């Protein structure tokens, strides 16, 4: 199956800092999503981004499908950005997830 | 529509007992997925349905696990003779069929087997 690797696994940020999370995947895909898992465990949709760049407030994402990676940018981080970010790619009729990026934003 | 809904949110059970979880997908979605997530890991695929048909099951889904979607709407996931290793978050997602669609997840059911 498709392998998904996320880096860095853990990230500690000072409030107000910017950061970049990376997702590499092993095969060409037609569908990629970024999620934020809240403290109660629910996966919140951030971006559906099979290719190109999208922005939503302080978050933006870029997927370069031909080079098999996606980036999630967090600008001017806030404590509410803390949590685990997952990248998931679609293949074989299901989403395959990475292990996530654990982000802690300290005030 | 308020999104994907899962019940219960939490379940604590004794080893050896049976448990059943329910998932109500977004009403227009005919694809429904079950995933399992353990601590420190990403969600892992268990099974999926297209309407009422269960089209694929992961090898993670042992014979103690069974899932149904009898009328192509809500789905249930039953675990028989629970073991401590079954303790995990069980997540349900729904989408339109095909590869170019966005999946949405429910709140999850956190199972603890004592």
């Amino acid at each position: 199956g498709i392998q998904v690797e996320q880096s860095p696994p853990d990230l500690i940020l000072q409030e107000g800092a910017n950061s970049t999370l990376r997702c590499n995947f092993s095969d060409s895909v037609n569908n990629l999503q970024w999620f934020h898992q809240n403290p109660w465990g629910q996966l919140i949709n951030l971006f559906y981004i099979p290719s190109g760049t999208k922005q939503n407030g302080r978050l933006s994402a870029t997927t370069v499908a031909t080079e098999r990676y996606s980036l999630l940018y967090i600008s001017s981080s806030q404590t509410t950005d803390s949590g685990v970010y997952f990248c998931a790619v679609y293949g074989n009729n299901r989403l395959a997830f990475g292990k996530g990026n654990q982000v802690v934003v300290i005030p | 529509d308020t999104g994907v809904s899962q019940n219960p949110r939490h379940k604590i059970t004794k080893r050896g007992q049976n448990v059943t979880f329910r998932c109500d997908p977004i009403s227009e979605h005919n694809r429904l997925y079950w995933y399992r997530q353990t601590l420190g890991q990403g969600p892992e695929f268990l099974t999926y349905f297209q309407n009422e048909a269960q089209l694929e099951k992961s090898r993670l889904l042992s014979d103690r696990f069974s899932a149904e979607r009898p009328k192509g709407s809500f789905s249930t996931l039953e675990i028989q003779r629970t073991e401590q290793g079954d303790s995990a978050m069980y997540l349900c997602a729904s989408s339109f069929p095909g590869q170019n669609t966005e999946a949405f997840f429910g709140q999850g059911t956190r199972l603890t087997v004592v």
Side-chain angles (χ1 to χ4, degrees):
Chain A
I2 295 175
Q3 303 300 310
V4 180
E5 293 186 0
Q6 294 184 240
S7 60
D10 302 286
L11 187 62
I12 299 176
L13 296 171
Q14 196 74 41
E15 195 170 28
N18 303 329
S19 65
T20 302
L21 309 179
R22 186 176 180 102
C23 171
N24 292 330
F25 42 94
S26 61
D27 206 346
S28 46
V29 295
N30 293 304
N31 179 340
L32 185 145
Q33 292 185 242
W34 281 97
F35 298 91
H36 180 213
Q37 191 161 41
N38 69 20
W40 299 272
Q42 184 170 8
L43 290 168
I44 306 300
N45 290 43
L46 295 178
F47 294 101
Y48 167 73
I49 186 164
S51 64
T53 297
K54 290 186 177 180
Q55 181 153 7
N56 184 2
R58 295 180 297 100
L59 301 181
S60 63
T62 295
T63 297
V64 184
T66 53
E67 297 187 21
R68 302 180 186 173
Y69 73 89
S70 183
L71 302 174
L72 179 69
Y73 305 97
I74 306 174
S75 65
S76 304
S77 57
Q78 300 177 0
T79 56
T80 52
D81 295 329
S82 296
V84 184
Y85 292 80
F86 285 103
C87 168
V89 300
Y90 188 92
N92 297 325
N93 294 306
R94 86 290 300 272
L95 285 174
F97 284 79
K99 291 189 174 182
N101 308 94
Q102 173 82 56
V103 174
V104 175
V105 181
I106 54 177
Chain B
D1 192 1
T2 56
V4 181
S5 178
Q6 292 188 244
N7 287 287
R9 298 290 304 278
H10 302 274
K11 178 71 177 178
I12 301 174
T13 190
K14 291 184 178 180
R15 190 171 48 187
Q17 297 294 304
N18 300 341
V19 294
T20 300
F21 311 141
R22 178 179 170 126
C23 172
D24 287 88
I26 293 171
S27 56
E28 313 90 78
H29 288 172
N30 46 14
R31 275 256 174 120
L32 185 148
Y33 302 84
W34 285 99
Y35 285 80
R36 181 172 69 185
Q37 185 181 19
T38 53
L39 198 62
Q41 302 295 315
E44 295 175 293
F45 169 78
L46 292 179
T47 187
Y48 85 96
F49 292 83
Q50 176 108 354
N51 301 313
E52 66 275 9
Q54 187 175 17
L55 297 185
E56 188 174 347
K57 295 191 290 186
S58 162
R59 64 182 184 280
L60 294 176
L61 214 65
S62 76
D63 56 5
R64 297 184 298 105
F65 288 70
S66 63
E68 294 182 343
R69 195 182 182 197
K71 297 183 180 179
S73 57
F74 72 91
S75 176
T76 58
L77 178 68
E78 180 184 16
I79 309 174
Q80 296 182 327
R81 305 181 303 281
T82 52
E83 302 172 356
Q84 286 189 322
D86 297 330
S87 296
M89 174 74 91
Y90 290 84
L91 294 163
C92 174
S94 71
S95 74
F96 291 111
Q99 59 189 6
N100 297 319
T101 64
E102 187 174 4
F104 294 86
F105 282 78
Q107 315 96 312
T109 295
R110 190 175 298 279
L111 172 67
T112 302
V113 181
V114 297

